[in-house]
Amino acid sequence: MYLTDVEKAMLNGEQGQAKAVAMDLLVRYAEALGAERMVKTNSCAFGVIGGQHPMVKALHMDPYDFDAMYSVFSLDLDTDKTIKIPQLTVQSACTLSGCSDDYLDYIGASADLRKSQYEGEEYMRKTGFMLTQTCAPYLCGVMPVKGEHCAWCESSAIIYLNSVIGARTNNEGLAATGSAAIAGRIPYFGLHLDEERRGTHLIQVERQPRTPFEWSLLGYYAGTAVQIGIPVINGINETPTTDMLKAIGAAFATAGAIDMFHVVGYTPEALNLEHAFGGNKPVDVIKFGEKELQWAIDKLNFKEDADVEMVMLGCPNYSISEIRYLAKVLENKKVKIPLLVMTANSTKAMSDFSGYTKTIEAAGGRFIRGGCPLTSGAPTNIKVLAVDSTKLAHYTPGLTMQHMRLGTVEQCVNAAVTGKWEEEKR
Amino acid sequence: MSQIILHGRKAIGGSAAGEAIVSVEPLGGFCAVNAAEGRITERGHELEGQCFAGKILVFSLAKGSSGWSGAYQAARQLGKGPTGLVVKTMNTRAALGAVLMRVPTMTDLDQDPTKVIENGDWVEIDAENGCITVTKQSGRVISGAPE
């Protein structure tokens, strides 16, 4: 593959050991992809695994040797020896780092676990991360511009970036973003190229999705049908909200290997149908109606469980408008099982200031900032979880063997109040 | 036993041989794998409950979270990774996963490997020469496959 003189110098170690290791990984990665060159990037986003991660124990590592953890799997340069991690020059948003203070409180964490979490965060501050601590950093100010080349992790953020903002990133794993954060390069491949961003499948909407939840059902159904490609959603007759586009993106990326979609008339690279397909002929036309919407609900619900033990909202992390809506639904109610609301530090601050936190906490709801129990170790004593996220409903059983109930915010709140799941009245 | 040769592109160099485990369906990583056992755990997946440790993992497509590569890297670090990969359609998840599994990997093949190769077939990867030799265990004749 072609490398510039600067890239060759990095690879040869002229700019230090960390850049050499990072560049070596990026070159091997580019060759596996079949990429012909690198592109510069100044926007990385990824989650960093802290000392409490099970791999630390499994690999018999020192949970306070952050350079070692970062080298082997945290920042993931995939080396077998410890590299001194330099200050990151690239703007790098940390999407999560182990678990948050709220979650440590919630599970009654040991002093050891807290120490490991706090020291990990301190190490990240020194290394130069932006500690956004959310899977949706675009909701709290990390906003690349249209056309900007990025190297992001986190499938729901990647698809939002490509589809809604029009910035460019592939679905990067931790090792690729970790290396990009040090070397400022990423393989020029896939969604970095104009011709790879054109639509491939036509999704013809005959039943308007009306809420973020229904948009996520559209994404889960169409994503399952498409599996790989760039779906073009046609027939939407009202401007979708940020929350709707966030929800459908997460669902697409969960159901298939889908890192971009278009909504004709609404997203930046889909002014009209011709623009969205850019000369491509749709490989398939998929209809979305009432039956297809119900299919997604049925697929993800464990119908045998009427008793719910916990409600989890905020996958992807709740925005301020979703918190506002939840506060309205929870007003003058009281939950009898735990109801957790996952959101970013900065969104929670806005919620506090706006008065939503007071309403939600008065009803017995609890905020979990800076991460999510799915990645920080889900509660193991809970058998049935209720969620409003197709992503959470899809992944949680594979991780924790828990049973899921999936429905609207109203159904989830009702379950939190009564402890029972009720089917939606249609 | 019949043999089939596939030709394609080297993604990661080297050679490897082993028993095939084949995912015709797209393959998940994050929350879909038990790394310590080298086992697929995704609910309803055709390989749910099956082990890939020490085998040649053949799959159509890597799907799901960007945590895909990390899940298989963890399996390698715990000694439960596959010994080689055959990928029908390469993407960033599979390419980075292959780098982190550190095993010979082939892609862009002249036939669909998930159709030609079945569970239990003996697969020899020679990535440097861009070819894969499949020794059928079932005795099934694949129509259209070269001798």
Side-chain angles (χ1 to χ4, degrees):
Chain A
M1 70 178 293
Y2 170 78
L3 294 177
T4 64
D5 288 344
V6 174
E7 288 159 1
K8 281 182 200 154
M10 280 195 249
L11 186 61
N12 296 337
E14 290 166 41
Q15 298 188 22
Q17 193 185 18
K19 281 195 181 176
V21 169
M23 206 61 201
D24 175 63
L25 187 141
L26 289 168
V27 167
R28 283 185 287 137
Y29 173 42
E31 283 172 350
L33 285 169
E36 284 167 10
R37 66 175 179 94
M38 300 286 178
V39 64
K40 281 188 186 175
T41 182
N42 189 32
S43 176
C44 290
F46 50 102
V48 178
I49 300 156
Q52 64 273 56
H53 193 272
M55 284 302 287
V56 176
K57 210 174 205 175
L59 297 174
H60 310 291
M61 297 182 73
D62 173 0
Y64 296 104
D65 186 348
F66 292 99
D67 278 341
M69 288 188 287
Y70 274 42
S71 301
V72 175
F73 64 84
S74 278
L75 189 65
D76 205 352
L77 301 177
D78 192 43
T79 60
D80 294 326
K81 57 184 180 198
T82 299
I83 305 282
K84 174 78 191 117
I85 305 296
Q87 273 275 316
L88 304 178
T89 48
V90 171
Q91 291 182 15
S92 301
C94 177
T95 52
L96 79 116
S97 60
C99 48
S100 68
D101 235 3
D102 298 324
Y103 196 64
L104 292 169
D105 290 344
Y106 181 70
I107 60 173
S110 65
D112 271 2
L113 185 54
R114 283 177 192 277
K115 181 165 180 268
S116 140
Q117 180 64 31
Y118 297 152
E119 292 207 8
E121 286 168 6
E122 195 49 34
Y123 179 86
M124 276 192 287
R125 287 182 195 108
K126 285 184 192 147
T127 312
F129 280 94
M130 302 184 287
L131 290 173
T132 59
Q133 313 295 75
T134 172
C135 54
Y138 52 86
L139 290 178
C140 33
V142 181
M143 280 287 269
V145 295
K146 185 168 183 284
E148 183 172 349
H149 295 285
C150 304
W152 280 33
C153 265
E154 178 46 57
S155 53
S156 69
I158 289 159
I159 192 167
Y160 191 92
L161 207 70
N162 281 315
S163 316
V164 184
I165 300 174
R168 300 181 173 208
T169 182
N170 285 312
N171 186 306
E172 301 294 4
L174 182 51
T177 45
S179 298
I182 286 175
R185 299 291 188 284
I186 197 76
Y188 186 65
F189 177 85
L191 291 170
H192 291 288
L193 287 76
D194 289 339
E195 60 271 24
E196 299 287 336
R197 299 173 65 83
R198 297 170 186 157
T200 58
H201 295 65
L202 179 61
I203 316 297
Q204 195 59 46
V205 171
E206 294 173 3
R207 154 71 157 87
Q208 293 294 313
R210 301 183 195 105
T211 60
F213 175 63
E214 290 188 352
W215 275 80
S216 84
L217 298 173
L218 165 56
Y220 196 79
Y221 173 77
T224 305
V226 169
Q227 282 302 314
I228 180 168
I230 300 183
V232 176
I233 300 162
N234 194 38
I236 296 296
N237 60 19
E238 209 173 312
T239 310
T241 64
T242 299
D243 300 329
M244 292 170 180
L245 296 169
K246 170 165 78 77
I248 192 177
F252 268 137
T254 299
I258 299 169
D259 302 321
M260 186 169 183
F261 63 90
H262 298 287
V263 184
V264 175
Y266 300 104
T267 54
E269 292 169 60
L271 297 175
N272 52 45
L273 207 52
E274 292 70 36
H275 184 218
F277 279 102
N280 277 356
K281 193 178 167 328
V283 295
D284 203 358
V285 179
I286 295 149
K287 186 196 85 156
F288 180 78
E290 191 66 41
K291 202 176 84 202
E292 288 75 21
L293 182 137
Q294 191 59 45
W295 176 90
I297 297 178
D298 293 342
K299 171 99 199 295
L300 292 167
N301 261 287
F302 286 67
K303 295 228 161 178
E304 62 271 26
D305 306 300
D307 292 330
V308 175
E309 291 162 289
M310 180 184 264
V311 175
M312 254 188 217
L313 304 171
C315 172
N317 277 182
Y318 258 10
S319 69
I320 189 65
S321 48
E322 287 172 306
I323 291 175
R324 175 175 178 265
Y325 186 72
L326 175 66
K328 212 184 290 178
V329 179
L330 267 176
E331 204 155 23
N332 301 320
K333 293 196 174 87
K334 200 84 192 163
V335 302
K336 72 173 194 189
I337 57 170
L339 180 143
L340 306 184
V341 186
M342 302 175 290
T343 194
N345 274 305
S346 58
T347 311
K348 167 71 168 31
M350 215 188 311
S351 167
D352 294 350
F353 201 53
S354 306
Y356 310 138
T357 304
K358 206 174 154 193
T359 309
I360 291 168
E361 288 183 344
R366 191 161 184 153
F367 281 88
I368 302 287
R369 289 170 299 168
C372 104
L374 192 60
T375 49
S376 337
T380 49
N381 55 340
I382 303 285
K383 192 177 152 264
V384 184
L385 264 176
V387 298
D388 66 342
S389 158
T390 51
K391 176 173 179 172
L392 207 50
H394 176 95
Y395 281 129
T396 309
L399 188 73
T400 62
M401 309 302 153
Q402 281 162 336
H403 287 196
M404 309 302 295
R405 297 305 314 227
L406 169 73
T408 63
V409 179
E410 288 79 1
Q411 280 176 290
C412 288
V413 165
N414 185 57
V417 170
T418 63
K420 296 273 179 203
W421 188 257
E422 277 178 38
E423 299 300 336
E424 198 183 14
K425 293 163 197 78
R426 288 183 176 278
Chain B
M1 281 179 290
S2 63
Q3 276 199 341
I4 299 162
I5 313 262
L6 303 178
H7 298 274
R9 180 174 73 80
K10 166 183 92 172
I12 308 283
S15 56
E19 185 192 320
I21 176 166
V22 184
S23 178
V24 180
E25 292 173 21
L27 186 65
F30 177 70
C31 290
V33 164
N34 179 326
E37 295 175 3
R39 194 182 295 281
I40 309 288
T41 56
E42 184 182 336
R43 181 175 162 241
H45 192 276
E46 64 180 313
L47 294 181
E48 182 180 356
Q50 295 200 45
C51 245
F52 53 75
K55 295 181 183 168
I56 304 285
L57 181 57
V58 182
F59 59 96
S60 55
L61 179 74
K63 71 164 180 181
S65 163
S66 47
W68 200 95
S69 51
Y72 290 94
Q73 177 191 30
R76 182 212 89 216
Q77 287 169 329
L78 298 171
K80 298 289 180 184
T83 51
L85 300 178
V86 179
V87 186
K88 180 186 170 190
T89 306
M90 188 55 90
N91 62 12
T92 53
R93 296 167 181 86
L96 189 61
V99 167
L100 300 181
M101 281 184 257
R102 303 180 184 174
V103 291
T105 300
M106 293 273 301
T107 187
D108 297 340
L109 296 149
D110 51 2
Q111 297 180 70
D112 179 348
T114 65
K115 286 198 176 130
V116 174
I117 308 171
E118 292 171 285
N119 283 321
D121 286 349
W122 188 256
V123 175
E124 292 162 68
I125 299 175
D126 179 359
E128 298 307 325
N129 291 308
C131 66
I132 298 171
T133 308
V134 182
T135 306
K136 300 301 293 180
Q137 301 299 302
S138 63
R140 186 178 69 129
V141 178
I142 310 255
S143 61
E147 288 305 308

